[in-house]
Amino acid sequence: MKCELCQSNINHQWQLRDFYDFSVYKQPFICEMCYDNFQQIDPQIACLECQGVTVGKYCVDCQQWFKQGFPKIHNQSLFKYDSQMKRYFKAYKFEGGYHLRDVFKQAIQQRLIKANVDMIVPIPITTDTFLERQFNQVTGWLEGIPFDEILICREVRKDKQSRKTRRERLLMKQPFTLCQSDKKLANQKICLVDDVYTTGRTLRHAAQCLIVAGALEVTSLTLAR
């Protein structure tokens, strides 16, 4: 089998425990070298709010969000959004490689367990995007654990985030609304999950929507930053 990122051959090294494990063996989709090339974020030099690189406690962007009255979300991101991560998203998100959800599913779910929250809420995609892609890349990582799809996008159609400039993203209006009664959210600690933290606008709009509906606290987790 070939690695889906670098096309090199993947040679599985059998270990003794493999012969005593009666679960279905899953062939890895990327090689160890490619996985090791994903760069983890160093919390020692990261903004406490968004995980972006900064020399102070909070980066300039997050300080601006605070001044605008948006609630803190204490975002955690696992990896840098670099060329290696872009290759992964190209294969997984844009080329329909839904099976590639397994590459990071365990890492994301382990971090969510440590978050110790009442609800896990994925960022939704629009109906048009779902019809085109046939899956939400975020809920793919959450497969097998409880989560609540309580947010929906207001727009019937909107331009893809990847095609927007930074300024266009920052000027976005509130794109979310609740798809069910807000009574369920009263005093709940919620963790939002998204794929990439870029400007933070999407997550902050989602957090604001949930806080207004009664949530006690909203934090966020993204695969990349």
Side-chain angles (χ1 to χ4, degrees), residues 12-22:
H12 178 66
Q13 299 296 319
W14 292 98
Q15 300 182 27
L16 183 61
R17 66 172 179 269
D18 293 324
F19 296 96
Y20 295 94
D21 185 356
F22 295 99

Side-chain angles (χ1 to χ4, degrees), residues 62-127:
C62 285
Q63 292 179 48
Q64 290 299 316
W65 287 125
F66 300 156
K67 289 179 181 179
Q68 293 178 40
F70 283 91
K72 290 184 178 181
I73 56 175
H74 301 295
N75 178 68
Q76 294 185 58
S77 297
L78 303 185
F79 298 94
K80 295 180 181 179
Y81 188 59
D82 54 13
S83 58
Q84 178 74 347
M85 185 58 72
K86 289 177 181 178
R87 279 193 286 270
Y88 168 74
F89 275 115
K90 181 175 183 290
Y92 173 46
K93 183 176 175 180
F94 301 114
E95 295 181 348
Y98 186 60
H99 56 288
L100 293 173
R101 68 193 184 281
D102 288 335
V103 173
F104 291 111
K105 186 165 68 174
Q106 183 178 10
I108 289 174
Q109 293 188 12
Q110 286 178 343
R111 185 63 65 91
L112 286 170
I113 291 172
K114 294 179 181 179
N116 190 28
V117 293
D118 301 308
M119 298 174 65
I120 295 170
V121 176
I123 293 295
I125 58 178
T126 64
T127 300

Side-chain angles (χ1 to χ4, degrees), residues 42-61:
D42 183 358
Q44 299 299 318
I45 58 173
C47 170
L48 294 179
E49 172 66 7
C50 74
Q51 298 275 273
V53 176
T54 184
V55 294
K57 191 174 181 180
Y58 297 109
C59 68
V60 174
D61 285 350

